[in-house]
Amino acid sequence: MKNKIAVLLIVLILLAGAAYAAASARLFRKSPNVIVILTDDLDNALLPYLPKTNRLIGEQGATFDNYFIPTPLCCPSRASMLRGEYAHNTDILENSPGFPRFFKLKKQENTFNVWLYKAGYRTALYGKYLNNYPVNAGRNYVPPGWSDWGASLGTNYEGDLYYDYTLNENGVLVEYGSDPEDYSTDVIKNKSLAFLRERAADRDPFLLFLSIYAPHGPSTPAPRHANLFNDLTRPRSPAIDEEDLSDKPQIIRALTDSGEDFDEGDADALFQNRARSLQAVDELVEALIQALAQNGQLETTYIFFTSDNGFHMGEHGIPPGKGTAYEEDIRVPFMARGPGIAPGSRISQMTANIDIAPTIADIAGVPCPDFVDGSSFLPFLHGKSVPWRAGLLIEFGYERNENAAKVQNISLGSEFDLRDPETDNLLVNVYGGGFRGIRGGGFLYLEYQNGEIEFYDLKADPYQLENLAGRLTPQTLAALHTKLEALKYCSGQECRILERQLEFDIQFLN
């Protein structure tokens, strides 16, 4: 009798376990998947050359008309995206030191992938992580919270991350060469498709983060796209034709005297290569969506498509690059499709990369840490209205003081060459080139570290041709300065409260 009772208890326990597993599987199956496709240096002028992406994500979901990068450089932007924080809170305000600083501060231990990983998500990153990864962490280092990891080493820069690069694949360093099949966008695509096939065979929800190098310079296209767009010319805006720069700050005018010869032929050639390099990205998007549809995952997956920062190509006389507070650099494409998003939607609210982490947490149903500065824009995707910001902090560059020296004081292994390979982060090396400012709904106000000021009425002057800072009344300048002083030191909920107070009457001019 005792044996029968014991057997019965075992059977009941097994049945209960099976029921729990089934319930968990149903719960996980209902949890949405998330895919983030992050391009590098993509500006709005290139969107017409992504027809598949526009059709499959933009037309089938939502297009954001006012999406911004508060610190328009690769590493600060990526750090802010991962944690939902302004750059002054991640303490990554330039590309260097980048990852070593992020690692030293243990910021990688509390990012959106970690939140989802702890909630049962399978997580994967393929492509570029943070500038100067993995300095000081060891060449085989994999950050926490990633089920599958395939990140490019951002040290030494012997390759350009299109060919001749190294991937850390779950702690194993794998060299890629110069053959057509080594083209990094295609490698990322193939790894992503393999990940999706694996996820189709299990019941765990997933987070897939694709960080693609295109169209970053040298904007190398895949061989099959090398002869496209031979007649393409760079779009010309009034900002490119701006001749009178006398109202621009001296620090901006200094950039125009860089000695770099950049004529129309150079501009057209660069624009053509940037468009060519995006064609493999367009193919990647199409392949991912086809795979999701075939696996029965498409209807339960949110897909975000965006860039880490914009890119200027001669606006205001400045040679090609990024890192300024002008619209070309801080305003970038963002499209999303997924459950509950009406096809063809337009999102007009001012959103930013600091909102991605809380939005992903909202989608997954996991709580956000108190340190998060951004807000979830998921309600807008579902056609709902919630209280929202009236402006954003724009910031760039470490304060040049003893604290900045401490930031730069990091130890390097002999195998590493810590440097910023970019030639286009021009304000980094200009004395006093750091800035803090407010990008409001209809204005931009900037204070540079050298004391110069810019103010643009974006409703009347969307191309930022006339700096009105010298015409503002002392009262208006004082009010703007006070708002900025509060915002540039904010954290968490305080940031969100201050952002909603950035409505400002710009009519008070001298």
Side-chain angles (χ1 to χ4, degrees):
M1 184 66 179
K2 290 182 178 179
N3 289 338
K4 290 183 178 179
I5 293 174
V7 171
L8 179 60
L9 287 172
I10 291 172
V11 170
L12 289 174
I13 290 170
L14 291 173
L15 289 173
Y20 176 79
S24 298
R26 287 194 298 272
L27 175 63
F28 276 164
R29 178 157 286 198
K30 291 179 181 178
S31 298
N33 309 309
V34 181
I35 297 177
V36 179
I37 304 170
L38 181 68
T39 55
D40 200 323
D41 293 2
L42 175 65
D43 60 305
N44 280 299
L46 283 170
L47 270 185
Y49 307 99
L50 287 162
K52 297 173 181 178
T53 302
N54 286 314
R55 174 171 54 86
L56 295 171
I57 301 182
E59 293 178 13
Q60 292 301 314
T63 299
F64 286 58
D65 296 322
N66 291 289
Y67 178 79
F68 294 89
I69 307 298
T71 305
L73 285 177
C74 297
C75 200
S77 174
R78 292 159 188 269
S80 289
M81 175 186 292
L82 286 165
R83 292 195 33 107
E85 288 183 300
Y86 277 118
H88 67 271
N89 290 324
T90 65
D91 205 11
I92 308 298
L93 287 146
E94 297 175 11
N95 278 349
S96 293
F99 170 79
R101 183 66 178 166
F102 201 72
F103 175 74
K104 180 178 180 180
L105 297 174
K106 299 183 178 181
K107 298 286 187 178
Q108 78 283 0
E109 297 179 5
N110 206 346
T111 52
F112 67 69
N113 62 288
V114 174
W115 312 338
L116 269 62
Y117 182 82
K118 290 180 177 179
Y121 273 67
R122 298 300 299 270
T123 59
L125 179 146
Y126 304 125
K128 180 178 174 180
Y129 181 47
L130 298 176
N131 294 55
N132 295 311
Y133 162 81
V135 169
N136 287 0
R139 293 178 67 87
N140 304 94
Y141 174 75
V142 177
W146 296 105
S147 308
D148 200 42
W149 180 256
S152 52
L153 270 61
T155 54
N156 295 324
Y157 296 102
E158 294 173 357
D160 58 19
L161 299 188
Y162 290 104
Y163 292 107
D164 300 313
Y165 55 92
T166 302
L167 290 185
N168 177 344
E169 299 184 359
N170 297 317
V172 178
L173 301 186
V174 179
E175 302 287 338
Y176 288 82
S178 56
D179 294 330
E181 60 267 24
D182 294 320
Y183 188 67
S184 62
T185 305
D186 292 342
V187 170
I188 291 171
K189 177 182 68 176
N190 293 333
K191 287 185 175 296
S192 302
L193 294 176
F195 179 82
L196 292 181
R197 286 193 296 269
E198 294 171 1
R199 301 289 70 76
D202 63 33
R203 293 179 177 271
D204 292 344
F206 64 79
L207 164 70
L208 178 58
F209 188 1
L210 309 183
S211 183
I212 304 163
Y213 200 48
H216 191 291
S219 307
T220 305
R224 61 188 179 275
H225 303 133
N227 295 317
L228 298 177
F229 306 121
N230 290 330
D231 297 325
L232 197 62
T233 58
R234 170 192 61 170
R236 295 189 65 89
S237 75
I240 288 177
D241 295 323
E242 184 177 13
E243 294 182 357
D244 183 5
L245 300 175
S246 59
D247 64 320
K248 292 290 185 290
Q250 180 275 331
I251 204 160
I252 294 296
R253 296 199 303 274
L255 299 182
T256 69
D257 298 326
S258 65
E260 183 175 345
D261 185 15
F262 185 69
D263 59 23
E264 280 304 304
D266 296 328
D268 292 343
L270 176 57
F271 193 75
Q272 290 165 11
N273 271 337
R274 284 168 60 79
R276 290 173 184 136
S277 72
L278 287 171
Q279 299 317 294
V281 179
D282 217 26
E283 293 171 352
L284 176 150
V285 169
E286 181 181 48
L288 282 180
I289 290 178
Q290 287 177 348
L292 290 168
Q294 291 169 1
N295 296 340
Q297 301 164 315
L298 184 58
E299 298 306 315
T300 57
T301 301
Y302 286 90
I303 306 172
F304 297 156
F305 181 91
T306 188
S307 178
D308 59 354
N309 49 255
F311 196 76
H312 57 259
M313 287 185 58
E315 287 84 356
H316 315 295
I318 306 172
K322 57 208 175 189
T324 76
Y326 295 127
E327 293 287 280
E328 294 79 19
D329 292 0
I330 67 172
R331 193 173 193 156
V332 303
F334 193 98
M335 291 179 276
R337 70 172 288 173
I341 304 178
S345 302
R346 308 292 300 201
I347 308 298
S348 61
Q349 286 83 0
M350 182 177 289
T351 50
N353 61 356
I354 60 173
D355 300 325
I356 289 181
T359 300
I360 290 176
D362 199 3
I363 288 170
V366 300
C368 262
D370 290 341
F371 66 71
V372 170
D373 302 328
S375 301
S376 170
F377 52 68
L378 186 60
F380 300 141
L381 293 176
H382 293 165
K384 299 177 182 178
S385 178
V386 293
W388 200 248
R389 66 170 62 93
L392 283 161
L393 171 69
I394 305 297
E395 55 185 348
F396 164 80
Y398 290 107
E399 299 287 347
R400 301 303 176 188
N401 55 27
E402 61 181 26
N403 291 328
K406 292 177 182 177
V407 167
Q408 303 290 346
N409 183 20
I410 58 176
S411 60
L412 304 178
S414 59
E415 73 270 32
F416 293 120
D417 174 17
L418 177 62
R419 56 193 170 91
D420 188 345
E422 320 256 9
T423 58
D424 49 16
N425 299 340
L426 300 174
L427 283 170
V428 171
N429 297 317
V430 177
Y431 179 77
F435 55 76
R436 304 294 185 270
I438 299 171
R439 201 325 184 154
F443 69 91
L444 175 70
Y445 172 74
L446 283 179
E447 296 179 358
Y448 290 90
Q449 288 178 2
N450 71 350
E452 295 185 276
I453 298 175
E454 283 185 285
F455 183 93
Y456 296 96
D457 179 349
L458 297 177
K459 293 180 180 178
D461 180 22
Y463 297 104
Q464 298 166 294
L465 303 179
E466 186 178 5
N467 178 14
L468 300 176
R471 296 177 54 201
L472 295 177
T473 64
Q475 294 86 349
T476 299
L477 280 172
L480 285 166
H481 177 74
T482 299
K483 289 177 182 288
L484 178 57
E485 282 296 301
L487 193 61
K488 71 183 186 181
Y489 299 112
C490 73
S491 178
Q493 184 179 3
E494 179 190 11
C495 293
R496 297 190 290 275
I497 292 172
L498 291 170
E499 287 172 345
R500 293 174 191 173
Q501 299 172 353
L502 292 177
E503 293 283 0
F504 201 81
D505 187 350
I506 61 174
Q507 302 304 314
F508 300 105
L509 302 177
N510 282 326

